[in-house]
Amino acid sequence: MESWSQRDLKYIWHPCSQMKDYETLPPMVIDHGKGVYLYDTEGKRYVDVISSWWCNLLGHCNPVINAAIKKQVDELEHVIFANFSNKRAIELCEKLINVVPKGLCKFNFSDNGSAAVECALKMSFQYYYQTGKPNKKRFITLTDAYHGETVGALSVGGVDLYSEIYRPMLMDVVRVQAPDCYRCPYGKTRGNCCCECFAEAEKTFEQYGHDACAMIVEPLLQGSAGMKIYPPLYLKKLRKLCDEYDVILIADEIATGYGRTGKMFAFDHAGVAPDIMCLSKGLTGGYMPMSITVTTQKIYDAFYDDYNTGKAFMHSHTYSGNPLACSAANAVLDILSDGKVLENANKNAVYFNALLNEKFSSVKNVGEIRSIGLINAIELVKDPISKTPFDPKLRIGYQIYKKALQKGVILRPLGDVIYFNPPLIIERDTLDFVTDIAKECVTEVLNS
Ligand SMILES: *Cc1c(COP(=O)(O)O)cnc(C)c1O
C-alpha cells in the first residue's frame, strides 16, 4: 500500500512550492488537530506555531466553533447572497460593527483574502469614477507589500518572489519606499523616531496623490516581507496625508486583524480608522474560506442610486456570505467578546518575547528579534554588524524548517526570518518548548 504522501504527490500540485523539494521532504499529511497541536498520519505531534498559514486563531477543533458549524450545517449550508440573505451573515455584521474601527459600517463579503483586496481596489476606483473625479485611477502601495495572489492583489504587492515573473500582466502602481526599521536609513530605532521615513510617502503623494484613488497598506506588520514591523505613528501620518489628497486609505488587516498585534486590529494602535478594511484569515478562526471588505457610509452612498444610473457595485462571488463560514465567524467573536483571550495572549506575548531575547540574543547570527502581539520574528544575518543577509541560495530558513519538523515544531521561515505566529490560545509551557526547539535548530543549522 502506498503511503498517504505518495498518493498525495501523484495528483496534488501544492501551493507556493517547488514540487521537486517534495522528493526529499514529502508533504506532511495531517490526520487531525487539537488546540495548538497537529497530528500526522503516523500519530506524530507538531506544534502549529504558524497558525496554519496565520489563520488559526483559537486552536484546531475548537469545541465552540465546531458546535456552531455542526448546528448550522443542519439548518442551511449555503444560499445565493444577491437578492437573498441569511441569518448568520446578518448576525455577524451586527457583532462586527462593535469591534471594527469607528466609521466602518458596510460589509461586502468575499471568500478569500485576495478577493477582499480586489474588491477594495475596484470599490476605490469606482468611487472616484462616479463622484466626479474620474482622473483618480492610480493605486499607491508600499514596497515589499503583500496583498494576495490574484492579478490585482499581486499588482499592489511588492514581494518579487511572488510577483516578478508576472510583471507584464500586472497593473502599473506607484510604490512608496516602505519603513525598514531594522535597517533604518535615517539611523533611528523603531518606536523611538518621528517616522522620518514618512518623507518618502509625502514625496510620492506630491507627485501622484492627485491622480490616486487609493493607498493600500498592511498596517504595522509587513508579514510576507519577513515580519517587518513599523510604528503606529506611520499610520497616523498616512491617515492625514490621504485626507489631504482625497485618497482612500485601505487597511489590509487580513493578517494583522483579530488580535494578532495585541489589539483587535492593527489600526487600533494608531487611534485612526481606514476608509476600507479587508478581513480574512482569523475572521473564521481559520475554519472556512471567507473574507469581508468593510467600508464607510460615505463610500457606500456613492454607489446608492436608481438602478439605471449604473452606479451599483456589480461585484460578486458565488460563496459570498456563506452561512457555514459566518457561523464560524460568529463563534469566534463570541469567544473573543469578553476580552479574556486577548488579555491572556498579551500577557503571554510579553513572556514569549522575553524568553526569545534571553535564548537568542547571544546567538551570533541573530540580527534582530522583533515582536508585535504574539508575533515574534528573528532575522538571521551573515553579519549582524553590517546587517548583511545570508546568500539566499544557502536556504538557511528552509534547513531550519526541516529540522524543526523532525523535532515536532512547525516553523516556516520567510527567507532567513524565523517567525512565530501561534494561535492566541497557546500556553507558556508550549512557548517554552517551541523556543527550546527553535534555538536547537538554529544553532545546529548555523554550525553545520
Ligand atoms: C494572506 C494574506 C492575503 C491573501 O489572502 P488569501 O486568502 O491567501 O488570498 C492578503 N493580504 C495579507 C496581508 C495576507 O496575509
Side-chain angles (χ1 to χ4, degrees):
M1 181 66 177
E2 289 173 305
S3 69
W4 281 104
S5 61
Q6 283 165 330
R7 288 163 64 188
D8 170 290
L9 288 173
K10 212 177 221 165
Y11 299 111
I12 297 178
W13 193 345
H14 285 274
C16 202
S17 303
Q18 171 48 262
M19 291 304 297
K20 191 163 191 287
D21 278 350
Y22 293 119
E23 282 179 12
T24 46
L25 184 65
M28 314 286 314
V29 183
I30 297 301
D31 182 79
H32 63 282
K34 188 70 205 154
V36 298
Y37 296 105
L38 290 170
Y39 299 82
D40 70 15
T41 46
E42 258 105 70
K44 186 172 170 185
R45 186 175 91 163
Y46 304 87
V47 185
D48 186 6
V49 201
I50 58 162
S51 295
S52 287
W53 246 346
W54 315 353
C55 64
N56 188 289
L57 198 70
L58 301 164
H60 295 280
C61 283
N62 181 292
V64 177
I65 308 175
N66 283 12
I69 296 174
K70 284 177 191 165
K71 181 160 181 285
Q72 183 57 37
V73 80
D74 280 331
E75 248 171 65
L76 176 67
E77 76 305 324
H78 187 62
V79 63
I80 179 173
F81 209 48
N83 308 106
F84 290 77
S85 190
N86 68 78
K87 294 194 276 184
R88 299 297 92 81
I90 297 166
E91 286 165 355
L92 178 57
C93 297
E94 288 171 348
K95 288 181 213 268
L96 272 172
I97 194 83
N98 298 317
V99 295
V100 293
K102 217 168 154 247
L104 297 174
C105 59
K106 293 290 176 184
F107 301 83
N108 193 300
F109 288 73
S110 307
D111 47 22
N112 67 77
S114 308
V117 169
E118 300 283 343
C119 175
L121 299 176
K122 287 172 68 182
M123 198 181 270
S124 306
F125 180 92
Q126 190 173 343
Y127 172 81
Y128 288 107
Y129 177 80
Q130 54 202 34
T131 53
K133 293 183 178 173
N135 64 302
K136 289 177 86 64
K137 290 179 189 163
R138 281 181 190 276
F139 294 100
I140 308 181
T141 173
L142 292 176
T143 56
D144 269 350
Y146 182 82
H147 297 293
E149 302 293 344
T150 50
V151 171
L154 203 58
S155 299
V156 287
V159 181
D160 285 349
L161 177 64
Y162 310 123
S163 55
E164 190 54 30
I165 291 173
Y166 310 104
R167 275 291 163 231
M169 297 172 56
L170 304 181
M171 289 191 290
D172 188 24
V173 305
V174 179
R175 283 170 220 281
V176 172
Q177 185 64 47
D180 186 354
C181 300
Y182 173 45
R183 296 180 175 85
C184 178
Y186 299 85
K188 305 279 174 176
T189 52
R190 187 185 297 113
N192 196 356
C193 70
C194 305
C195 289
E196 282 76 2
C197 60
F198 194 74
E200 297 283 346
E202 285 166 344
K203 219 168 57 194
T204 307
F205 271 69
E206 242 169 66
Q207 195 176 352
Y208 300 104
H210 295 290
D211 296 325
C213 58
M215 162 104 200
I216 182 166
V217 287
E218 293 162 88
L220 303 190
L221 175 78
Q222 289 193 296
S224 300
M227 297 294 174
K228 286 167 72 181
I229 299 166
Y230 62 90
L233 179 62
Y234 194 93
L235 296 178
K236 238 185 174 132
K237 291 187 177 214
L238 197 56
R239 175 69 277 178
K240 233 176 114 207
L241 192 64
C242 285
D243 286 342
E244 222 175 286
Y245 283 88
D246 189 17
V247 169
I248 288 174
L249 179 53
I250 304 171
D252 177 351
E253 293 254 11
I254 292 166
T256 51
Y258 278 77
R260 293 292 187 186
T261 68
K263 290 189 188 280
M264 188 65 184
F265 299 105
F267 253 83
D268 296 340
H269 291 274
V272 291
D275 303 299
I276 299 181
M277 190 166 80
C278 303
L279 298 177
S280 191
K281 294 203 165 104
L283 173 65
T284 63
Y287 265 66
M288 306 280 292
M290 182 164 79
S291 62
I292 307 184
T293 306
V294 197
T295 190
T296 59
Q297 186 73 42
K298 184 179 161 197
I299 292 176
Y300 173 85
D301 283 345
F303 293 76
Y304 197 88
D305 209 336
D306 294 328
Y307 182 83
N308 287 332
T309 59
K311 286 187 181 172
F313 192 43
M314 298 306 283
H315 176 95
S316 65
H317 288 287
T318 307
Y319 287 103
S320 296
N322 177 262
L324 289 172
C326 290
S327 69
N330 281 322
V332 168
L333 287 177
D334 289 345
I335 295 169
L336 295 179
S337 66
D338 68 0
K340 290 221 170 79
V341 169
L342 195 50
E343 193 184 310
N344 200 42
N346 284 339
K347 281 186 198 150
N348 286 343
V350 175
Y351 174 82
F352 187 31
N353 184 250
L355 196 62
L356 288 172
N357 273 294
E358 179 194 312
K359 293 252 162 78
F360 279 88
S361 50
S362 60
V363 177
K364 72 175 191 307
N365 295 99
V366 169
E368 186 183 46
I369 302 172
R370 47 184 179 258
S371 73
I372 185 163
L374 263 177
I375 297 174
N376 276 269
I378 302 172
E379 180 158 349
L380 299 175
V381 291
K382 190 170 158 200
D383 174 15
I385 307 289
S386 62
K387 303 180 181 176
T388 316
F390 282 107
D391 178 356
K393 294 219 161 69
L394 293 174
R395 301 185 79 189
I396 303 271
Y398 183 61
Q399 293 183 57
I400 292 168
Y401 162 72
K402 290 199 280 190
K403 238 185 222 320
L405 266 190
Q406 286 165 8
K407 298 176 194 268
V409 173
I410 304 177
L411 292 175
R412 202 172 164 279
L414 292 153
D416 298 332
V417 177
I418 319 297
Y419 75 85
F420 309 84
N421 186 6
L424 299 182
I425 52 142
I426 195 164
E427 289 175 5
R428 289 189 185 194
D429 53 350
T430 320
L431 291 171
D432 291 339
F433 173 73
V434 161
T435 314
D436 286 339
I437 298 297
K439 168 95 186 257
E440 271 176 44
C441 297
V442 168
T443 346
E444 282 170 30
V445 168
L446 291 175
N447 291 340
S448 65

